[in-house]
Amino acid sequence: MPRRLVSLLLLVLAPGLVPIVSWAQPVELTSPNGAVAATVTVDGQNQLRLTVRHDGATVIEPSPLGVVLEGRTLGRQVQSTEPSEVILHTQEYPTRGNHTTATGRYRAQTLRVRRVSEGDGAQPDPWALELRAYNDGVAYRYRFPPLGPVPTGRREASWHTVRGEVSAWTLPERTTVWYQTDVHNYEGLWQSAPVDSVSTDLGPPVVAELPGGGYALISEANPYGYSGMTLSSAAGRRTLRSTFLDDSTWAVPGGDASPWRFVMLSDDLDGLVNSDLVTNLNPPPDSSLYPKGARTEWVDPGRSVWRWWSRGTGTPEQERQYIDYAARLGFEYTLVDVDWEGWDNKWGTMENLVDYGHERGVEVWLWKSWSTGPLRLTDPLQRQVFFAKVAETGAVGVKIDYMNSESQDRLRFYQRVLVDAAHHDLMINFHGANKSDGSTRTYPNEMTREGLAGLEKSPVPPSHNAALPFTRGAVGAVDYTPVTFDSTQLGATTFAHQLATAYSFTSPVTHWADHPPRYFHVEKALDLIKATPATWDETVVLPPSEIGALSVIARRTGETWFLAVLNGREAPRTLDSVPLDFLGDGTYRLVTLSDETQTSMARNQRTGVDRNETLEVSLLPGGGFVGWFRPEADPGPPQR
């Protein structure tokens, strides 16, 4: 054999000395409509990478894939990838919030990845990359190598130790990102900057405004059993890298999968807000816990009064007064917040309060710390006892607070709470919480979640409010606790802006923050407040919208539409011709509430309005606008 050929073979067969020769061909997976393409390649350093294109434009440049397990990194030293057959999937299921039915079409493929170790050349069990191309995005997750038979008494041998990931997303030049930096409980204010100027840890989602137009939202879905992912950026670079701040290591069973990492894609903000990608990446609910999924009878959306924000938790008598307020507003719920566990004979007192509410058509929610109190939710037995006692009083839901972490242990806590609560027909609201992750599909008794800076952070700047529908609000319900008419809490917003927040954000249980007599006092808005639903049949984001600057959103319940406008700028603005083509056929009666002064609204009424018209909207600095459209034949909202 020629000496040169022998030398070449020796080099090829010595992976510890030179880069491994890879037989991995590029794999491209396209969405059913052909608009989205995901390409997996192996670069010259034998690193697995993902590229994403949308409408022919590159939106994610070649970016590394991989997980750090024990002493090796899956995704590096890749020798080959063996793609499975491509399978087309279509799914449809009930949902709530922006619309009533979620849909998803995607093509799926699994890449069996084989690597060569740097030492002896042995080939460990292959791992897999599961890839999906949706019409509105790309998602992937890692399927960990299976492990062999477990010796008796050695359960830990069946688990991998994860030390992090190399998952990253490189955005195009001239990309602007919207982000918030609170990675503790996700209550940061939304801001924007060129991606290569940002150097910090970011709490997902991160929304990218792409240089060629359109949007890319990066986050994760279905994280239970893992540790929560943060994104990290460095000045001078355009890459967002995965990092894990709440665990240095964590264990996963052999053969299990990581959470989904996804990029949601849309040409416009309407597609971003209406995407079902994050819930599509979660499994359907267990029918034994939720017989009708999101339509299970005891999983019941509604509106709530809430004393704590404006007055603090009251005495039992004061909380009865809030039940009266809820009944007067036609609301379904009241929330009794922190400190009720200090009441005398608390369970008997609460049962009497719940009975009082039942007589007036109002149900009761209770607050609970995640880790403190006479019965601790962190203890499985005490948690079951607590939920049983709540159910015995007749209360219907629990607001759980202060988790302030997304460690593997804390995420397991979320999951176990939802399952245990479902056994008692209880709904859940998480506060002091991490990012929304689409798990409301699997656990529909999670009605809403904080994980954002809402009215508890008042005064909230108008730019933050005008960014929320298109950032945090694009991945799940937001317990913003909307609408104050307290002039000391407005900051740079107006009464009309505050009212418009009730229609700009979605929360299947919406807690209206202010002292209800303030709502009664602003009589111009009272009938709108009473008619405001907690969920919507349809949502349309109108073209004038711009993240952080202007939110123009129309939402429908039945045949009735509400149009909400938030001015995110602290300067006046006039919209000359807001299109009304979202309306159905026929004519409508229109009631508008608009800025008059910071603390007063002008109310106007018109009849004969149809979808061929446009509307002029004048906004004060940080101002707002609400339009209420009812079909001419509609006699009006039902009275309770």
Side-chain angles (χ1 to χ4, degrees):
M1 182 181 293
R3 181 175 297 179
R4 295 178 67 182
L5 181 56
V6 171
S7 299
L8 177 61
L9 287 172
L10 288 172
L11 287 172
V12 168
L13 295 173
L17 301 177
V18 296
I20 300 161
V21 175
S22 172
W23 292 277
Q25 298 298 314
V27 176
E28 180 172 281
L29 183 66
T30 58
S31 61
N33 65 1
V36 175
T39 304
V40 177
T41 57
V42 179
D43 68 15
Q45 303 301 313
N46 299 97
Q47 169 66 58
L48 205 63
R49 292 186 179 272
L50 173 70
T51 304
V52 178
R53 297 190 307 281
H54 185 216
D55 292 333
T58 299
V59 295
I60 301 295
E61 298 178 359
S63 302
L65 300 167
V67 183
V68 183
L69 291 185
E70 291 94 20
R72 66 191 191 276
T73 300
L74 307 183
R76 293 178 182 165
Q77 300 295 316
V78 172
Q79 176 180 296
S80 65
T81 57
E82 303 168 18
S84 70
E85 179 184 355
V86 176
I87 301 175
L88 175 66
H89 294 265
T90 299
Q91 53 187 340
E92 184 174 293
Y93 51 91
T95 189
R96 57 183 184 234
N98 290 319
H99 41 251
T100 55
T101 302
T103 58
R105 281 178 55 80
Y106 66 94
R107 300 176 77 208
Q109 191 169 33
T110 298
L111 279 63
R112 184 180 169 92
V113 183
R114 194 173 289 277
R115 64 188 295 274
V116 177
S117 69
E118 295 181 0
D120 58 11
Q123 296 187 7
D125 288 332
W127 61 282
L129 179 74
E130 298 179 7
L131 187 64
R132 293 183 183 180
Y134 287 80
N135 288 342
D136 57 352
V138 168
Y140 65 84
R141 68 179 177 182
Y142 307 109
R143 179 69 62 179
F144 302 110
L147 293 167
V150 182
T152 302
R154 289 288 307 280
R155 176 180 178 275
E156 69 275 7
S158 66
W159 292 66
H160 291 288
T161 299
V162 182
R163 301 185 182 278
E165 295 184 10
V166 297
S167 310
W169 296 263
T170 300
L171 293 161
E173 292 181 354
R174 304 188 312 282
T175 295
T176 296
V177 288
W178 283 89
Y179 62 96
Q180 64 85 28
T181 59
D182 185 340
V183 295
H184 184 57
N185 56 23
Y186 283 72
E187 295 181 17
L189 297 177
W190 284 89
Q191 56 190 299
S192 67
V195 64
D196 55 6
S197 71
V198 180
S199 183
T200 187
D201 291 326
L202 315 172
V206 171
V207 178
E209 292 187 278
L210 300 166
Y215 304 88
L217 181 151
I218 300 169
S219 194
E220 67 176 341
N222 191 16
Y224 295 126
Y226 210 71
S227 187
M229 181 183 73
T230 298
L231 296 173
S232 180
S233 61
R237 310 191 65 158
R238 295 179 280 111
T239 300
L240 304 179
R241 300 186 179 278
S242 59
T243 186
F244 299 85
L245 303 180
D246 295 310
D247 290 304
S248 57
T249 63
W250 60 98
V252 295
D256 267 20
S258 72
W260 289 99
R261 284 73 182 86
F262 69 86
V263 183
M264 184 188 299
L265 298 167
S266 179
D267 292 329
D268 56 29
L269 293 174
D270 181 67
L272 203 67
V273 168
N274 280 293
S275 173
D276 296 309
L277 181 59
V278 64
T279 51
N280 285 337
L281 291 168
N282 283 264
D286 181 343
S287 60
S288 67
L289 288 175
Y290 314 98
K292 298 180 182 178
R295 302 288 182 262
T296 299
E297 286 80 358
W298 55 268
V299 178
D300 193 11
R303 304 148 300 165
S304 179
V305 293
W306 179 40
R307 194 180 195 280
W308 182 86
W309 186 84
S310 63
R311 294 293 187 273
T313 302
T315 64
E317 184 58 41
Q318 289 169 326
E319 294 295 344
R320 282 192 198 93
Q321 185 181 47
Y322 263 66
I323 289 174
D324 293 337
Y325 290 149
R328 185 174 168 188
L329 288 166
F331 286 8
E332 293 80 6
Y333 300 119
T334 187
L335 168 63
V336 183
D337 213 277
V338 62
D339 294 334
W340 67 269
E341 288 179 287
W343 288 352
D344 292 337
N345 184 24
K346 61 179 179 290
W347 294 113
T349 302
M350 188 59 67
E351 185 172 357
N352 290 336
L353 186 68
V354 170
D355 289 343
Y356 183 85
H358 285 165
E359 294 171 1
R360 289 151 182 80
V362 176
E363 302 285 359
V364 175
W365 282 65
L366 306 180
W367 179 95
K368 178 67 175 171
S369 165
W370 86 283
S371 62
T372 62
L375 291 170
R376 297 184 178 230
L377 300 185
T378 48
D379 181 281
L381 293 178
Q382 293 186 39
R383 182 167 63 240
Q384 290 284 6
V385 171
F386 177 81
F387 285 153
K389 286 184 171 294
V390 171
E392 286 170 8
T393 68
V396 296
V398 182
K399 172 183 173 180
I400 301 175
D401 212 343
Y402 299 139
M403 283 75 67
N404 294 340
S405 170
E406 49 188 338
S407 66
Q408 183 185 46
D409 179 70
R410 210 65 49 87
L411 292 181
R412 284 175 174 160
F413 171 80
Y414 281 82
Q415 187 177 34
R416 290 164 180 165
V417 158
L418 290 165
V419 170
D420 289 348
H423 284 297
H424 296 279
D425 294 357
L426 292 174
M427 297 177 281
I428 297 295
N429 171 10
F430 288 122
H431 265 234
N434 69 318
K435 70 179 83 68
S436 282
D437 48 41
S439 57
T440 51
R441 180 188 182 191
T442 309
Y443 307 103
N445 59 326
E446 182 188 324
M447 303 304 291
T448 190
R449 181 182 293 213
E450 194 180 28
L452 78 154
L455 208 58
E456 283 189 60
K457 296 286 186 178
S458 61
V460 180
S463 59
H464 174 78
N465 290 342
L468 272 179
F470 317 117
T471 51
R472 166 64 177 81
V475 294
V478 295
D479 194 22
Y480 180 93
T481 66
V483 187
T484 179
F485 293 147
D486 181 347
S487 60
T488 68
Q489 299 287 348
L490 294 176
T493 70
T494 68
F495 274 17
H497 181 109
Q498 287 293 320
L499 182 63
T501 62
Y503 312 94
S504 301
F505 318 134
T506 60
S507 180
V509 171
T510 305
H511 297 91
W512 290 64
D514 214 342
H515 189 43
R518 293 190 190 277
Y519 301 145
F520 301 141
H521 180 71
V522 183
E523 294 182 358
K524 292 177 180 178
L526 188 55
D527 54 347
L528 272 77
I529 292 172
K530 290 180 177 181
T532 306
T535 60
W536 303 94
D537 297 326
E538 184 179 357
T539 295
V540 180
V541 179
L542 301 183
S545 297
E546 179 183 353
I547 304 179
L550 185 70
S551 170
V552 186
I553 299 180
R555 300 193 193 270
R556 178 178 64 83
T557 177
E559 300 302 318
T560 297
W561 286 87
F562 290 87
L563 174 66
V565 182
L566 297 174
N567 181 10
R569 300 272 171 81
E570 295 185 26
R573 182 165 185 173
T574 297
L575 308 179
D576 293 326
S577 53
V578 177
L580 301 183
D581 53 2
F582 56 84
L583 295 172
D585 294 333
T587 58
Y588 290 77
R589 291 175 290 155
L590 170 62
V591 174
T592 64
L593 285 171
S594 57
D595 293 317
E596 189 172 63
T597 68
Q598 185 181 30
T599 58
S600 66
M601 292 179 284
R603 177 173 172 132
N604 289 287
Q605 300 184 119
R606 288 172 51 193
T607 58
V609 177
D610 65 44
R611 65 192 317 272
N612 298 310
E613 297 184 42
T614 61
L615 203 61
E616 181 178 304
V617 176
S618 294
L619 302 162
L620 289 177
F625 171 92
V626 176
W628 182 23
F629 300 82
R630 289 171 292 168
E632 297 263 76
D634 185 355
Q639 300 297 317
R640 283 189 65 159

